[in-house]
């Protein structure tokens, strides 16, 4: 791999799952990262991504430098040709290129503003990093995708060992306006497996066509849950009424009663989760969300490994 | 040791002092921490603890990941069963468990709110970490105790080589409302030594009974100082009138004149110290506070070593 | 070297350039930093310095601890004898000494307040670190100098291989009030080379005599640029009308038209740069600013190496 922004950056994404499971058994077996440095650039908060990616790099013998760009560094201008006489202190093209010069691989986290669909879906920030960086870029979640999360999700599903699992990606309530990145990304990754996939969401919450192509859409949560092996819960704001919160009449919070409709289904979520809003305590406490979170370490490790192997 | 929250977590706390002094002579002699990672989680500011604990871990060959939870990550909910539809983004039980999965030992710093004695003395935050973490928890100062500081204090006192020292823990003025943690902890650790201990404080500033049991209380600072070998200064807010600042008529600032009443006594303080409020420049500049601070490195190192040795 | 605050701390600053270029060819050849720790203390934002200095230390096998003093730690009092009953929580003399005890080399970044020339040019903050630290201090930019930048500038100029280059340090516009540190420092370093140096600035923007001694001053930017091999652009606020922004009638923004007056001159800037204010996109995109930024790694590495070699 030369970069890791979406499922299409890997020639064989399915093989990543198997290699990650091998790394999980022997995390320190390959010290290919000696004298290599990973830079992690955060435009937004991060807990799992921050810690799991650091740990993954250290497992391979890499050094890690973390940069909270807005707090530790300078305010960033993202528009080409800007006359920088306002608050923004450094242009993204300069910051990206300079940071890339001090590291061997650069991870970047950036969230969408959820104001303009065109702007968010252009992936301007991470694409500017790709354009100006001298080293490979790894997405630590971008405006529209979160591939390290999705790869960890697939590792977790592989560990369940269910043949042709029935997987439901279910919208769930949340007090804030959230990105579509985790859901988009989950759909484009789950499609490389043999799973049967249903998207359960209120009307108006359908995702972009490029992600739901080939996916069954169901606006009745109970019906979607029937016989499911895996319930993947996530909130997102509307794609078609971009960034808006639409009126939802039914209660989409995931409860034990709803889980009882499934085929002894496992509950998944990328965390952080709003307890008793997205799902009840009981559902979360009997879920596989921690196994998912732990697998973030190995999804990051296999991606770093593939990138470092190509560099040699 | 399986955790380090208070003096009672060590079967033989006195032995820790001796082992720490051995580590001080040869900090890099034991690389037991290779391929082990220490996570440090800060809910509150920290300078000495942050740096000394990182250094201690690196002395043992460990990797370190630092997480400023409120700045780098998400806002944390601490109440069980909360319906999380407000500002708090992640429940402590999820954050604690997930962070613990990426590390081998997890250190946590949390301060009391000083509003409810019951809440602070329940040690809810650090106890939730203990409950949900998959790895040993080290207190980097909790609501009511600061054991790494106290162990460093005992190492420093041991270095003085005074037999049966007369030790005075003296309250001193401060412009802010402060926790009782350092003082509580100092008392429960000093009791394992052969020291003769006096608590000097204005009326109303006596600490919780569990800490002052067996300790002489003296409300006359001058009298307490007479013949003392060690003056340990610290401010704390009232325990009995919880979190309050009580009217104090005498001047409790520690001056050279007061130190002259002692038996050539040494002045100790955990730092940071308000100069010319807690004690005068002259007192601080002739003190052993820097020796104390340096010993923070070895108190952390011996605790990490004991925990790693038990893991093998 | 025992410290690195200005060009005069090196007995042979010219040799540093050559040694840095050797390190650039073989960054990992000398692991003298094993079991040594670099502490980096930031009172102000930093991107290049933060990352390049960390990378330099890791190249030598050092561990690094980063301290954002105002965000991670306590508010710092800088005045001797202060009665600390206000907001400031720790005196610089205590913070400096304590931090120095946990590391082998300590880097410090501090900016001037630009209110009192006397205060800024006394370099109180970094000098207090020098006074109270138990280990060597490296300036990561202080109130009046930025020697790691200037050394990187000289490395970059050396790579150009121009004999007796004609170098112009040109003032350029900026929306904010900026320090004189980079410009002061560039002048005191460039003087150790065989370069012919001109300072181009509007009237009233001349720098302190100690830096411009022996330097040609020119208030006509076009004239200064004629035949120049190197244009080093930088904004600074007035030294003589201290910290003020003076009225400037001509347009000092550096454009391709102005660069066309030079002898195929190279454009340099320390970054971050306000695009289309200090210089146009076209000028920056055809410049050597990234080479300069990359050389920050080796300027830091050679300084650390010299200090560690002296310690052995």
């Amino acid at each position: 791999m030369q970069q890791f922004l979406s499922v299409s950056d890997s020639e064989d994404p399915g093989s990543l799952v198997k290699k990650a499971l091998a790394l999980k058994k022997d995390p320190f077996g390959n010290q290919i990262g000696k004298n290599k440095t990973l830079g992690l650039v955060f435009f937004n908060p991060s807990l799992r991504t921050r810690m799991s990616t650091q740990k993954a790099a250290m497992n391979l013998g890499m050094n890690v430098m973390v940069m909270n760009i807005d707090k530790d560094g300078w305010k960033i201008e993202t528009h080409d040709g800007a006359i920088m006489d306002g608050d923004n202190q450094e242009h993204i093209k300069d910051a990206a290129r300079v940071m890339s010069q001090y590291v061997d691989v650069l991870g970047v986290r950036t969230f969408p503003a959820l104001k303009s669909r065109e702007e968010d879906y252009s992936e301007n920030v991470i694409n500017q990093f790709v354009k100006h960086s001298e080293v490979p870029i790894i997405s630590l979640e971008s405006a529209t995708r979160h591939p390290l999360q999705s790869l960890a999700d697939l590792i977790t599903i592989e560990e369940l060992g269910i043949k042709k699992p029935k997987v439901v990606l279910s919208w769930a309530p949340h007090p804030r306006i959230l990105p579509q990145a985790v859901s988009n990304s989950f759909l484009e990754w789950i499609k490389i497996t043999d799973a049967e996939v249903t998207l359960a969401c209120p009307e108006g919450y359908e995702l972009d066509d490029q992600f739901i192509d080939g996916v069954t859409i169901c606006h009745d949560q109970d019906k979607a849950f029937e016989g499911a092996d895996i319930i993947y819960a996530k909130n997102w704001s509307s794609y078609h009424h971009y960034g808006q919160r639409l009126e939802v009449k039914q209660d989409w919070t995931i409860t034990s009663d709803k889980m009882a409709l499934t085929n002894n289904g496992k509950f998944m979520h990328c965390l952080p989760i709003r307890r008793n809003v997205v799902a009840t305590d009981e559902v979360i406490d009997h879920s596989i969300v921690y196994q998912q979170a732990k697998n973030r370490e190995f999804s990051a490790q296999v991606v770093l490994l593939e990138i470092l192997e190509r560099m040699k």
Side-chain angles (χ1 to χ4, degrees), chain A:
Chain A
M1 277 190 298
Q2 281 185 297
Q3 61 181 23
F4 187 72
L5 309 182
S6 80
V7 70
S8 54
D9 288 312
S10 172
E11 286 160 31
D12 183 4
S15 72
L16 296 179
V17 173
K18 287 186 191 5
K19 286 183 193 167
L21 287 167
L23 288 170
K24 191 172 183 177
K25 281 185 194 146
D26 181 20
F28 306 107
N30 188 334
Q31 295 291 299
I32 191 175
K34 188 170 187 294
N35 286 343
K36 301 284 186 197
T37 299
L38 173 66
L40 297 178
V41 180
F42 292 98
F43 285 85
N44 299 96
S46 170
L47 185 149
R48 271 148 293 278
T49 302
R50 185 185 291 269
M51 291 186 75
S52 64
T53 313
Q54 278 189 72
K55 182 59 161 56
M58 298 189 303
N59 287 353
L60 294 168
M62 296 183 88
N63 290 316
V64 184
M65 293 198 285
V66 176
M67 190 73 207
N68 295 310
I69 193 100
D70 52 336
K71 290 169 204 143
D72 300 341
W74 307 101
K75 285 185 195 159
I76 299 296
E77 173 64 54
T78 57
H79 293 96
D80 244 25
I83 297 168
M84 292 173 61
D85 56 2
D87 270 353
N88 291 330
Q89 297 163 305
E90 178 145 35
H91 200 283
I92 192 169
K93 67 170 73 172
D94 297 325
R97 181 141 176 210
V98 167
M99 290 192 287
S100 81
Q101 291 186 317
Y102 303 133
V103 299
D104 298 282
V105 183
L106 192 60
V108 180
R109 163 161 290 203
T110 174
F111 286 174
L114 294 174
K115 287 182 180 153
S116 155
R117 183 164 68 188
E118 286 62 37
E119 190 161 322
D120 291 344
Y121 276 70
S122 77
E123 289 283 11
N124 180 44
V125 171
I126 200 144
N127 283 336
Q128 293 248 34
F129 269 88
V130 169
K131 186 171 173 191
H132 297 288
S133 170
E134 301 184 2
V135 301
I137 297 293
I138 294 179
S139 165
L140 306 173
E141 184 170 348
S142 69
T144 70
R145 285 175 175 85
H146 195 353
L148 285 174
Q149 178 64 52
S150 306
L151 176 51
D153 298 337
L154 259 58
I155 297 166
T156 310
I157 290 171
E158 175 73 16
E159 288 181 316
L160 296 176
I162 305 169
K163 217 169 170 177
K164 296 206 177 197
K166 187 168 180 264
V167 175
V168 178
L169 171 59
S170 176
W171 186 90
H174 196 284
R176 293 205 184 165
I177 299 297
L178 295 193
Q180 294 109 28
V182 168
S183 309
N184 287 345
S185 218
F186 180 73
L187 290 177
E188 73 175 11
W189 281 81
I190 192 73
K191 284 182 198 170
I192 69 164
T193 73
D194 64 354
E196 189 183 311
V197 187
T198 300
L199 176 66
C201 65
E203 288 193 42
Y205 277 103
E206 300 80 10
L207 295 162
D208 185 9
D209 285 348
Q210 66 176 308
F211 301 106
I212 61 174
D213 177 45
V215 170
T216 306
I217 310 289
C218 181
H219 295 125
D220 179 336
Q221 196 183 31
D222 284 359
K223 198 179 153 207
F225 276 38
E226 279 170 24
D229 297 298
I230 292 162
I231 303 298
Y232 195 108
K234 186 74 188 82
N235 173 271
W236 59 89
S237 57
S238 176
Y239 173 79
H240 293 287
H241 307 271
Y242 195 70
Q244 289 181 39
R245 171 196 304 280
L246 311 178
E247 194 189 354
V248 175
K249 287 180 178 163
Q250 290 81 14
D251 182 0
W252 283 70
T253 298
I254 297 170
T255 61
S256 294
D257 283 351
K258 290 180 190 167
M259 290 303 292
L261 301 170
T262 68
N263 177 27
N264 196 24
K266 302 292 185 189
F267 178 85
M268 295 179 73
H269 189 278
C270 61
L271 304 183
I273 191 166
R274 299 288 190 132
R275 284 177 168 260
N276 303 310
V277 178
V278 169
T280 60
D281 280 333
E282 200 181 6
V283 170
I284 298 164
D285 293 341
H286 293 84
S287 74
I288 57 172
V289 296
Y290 305 114
Q291 184 181 339
Q292 253 180 295
K294 176 65 180 168
N295 285 332
R296 292 293 308 274
E297 180 178 336
F298 307 106
S299 80
Q301 192 171 347
V302 74
V303 166
L304 287 168
L305 179 57
E306 294 266 312
I307 286 172
L308 292 175
E309 279 178 343
R310 196 189 167 94
M311 266 182 204
K312 278 205 304 188

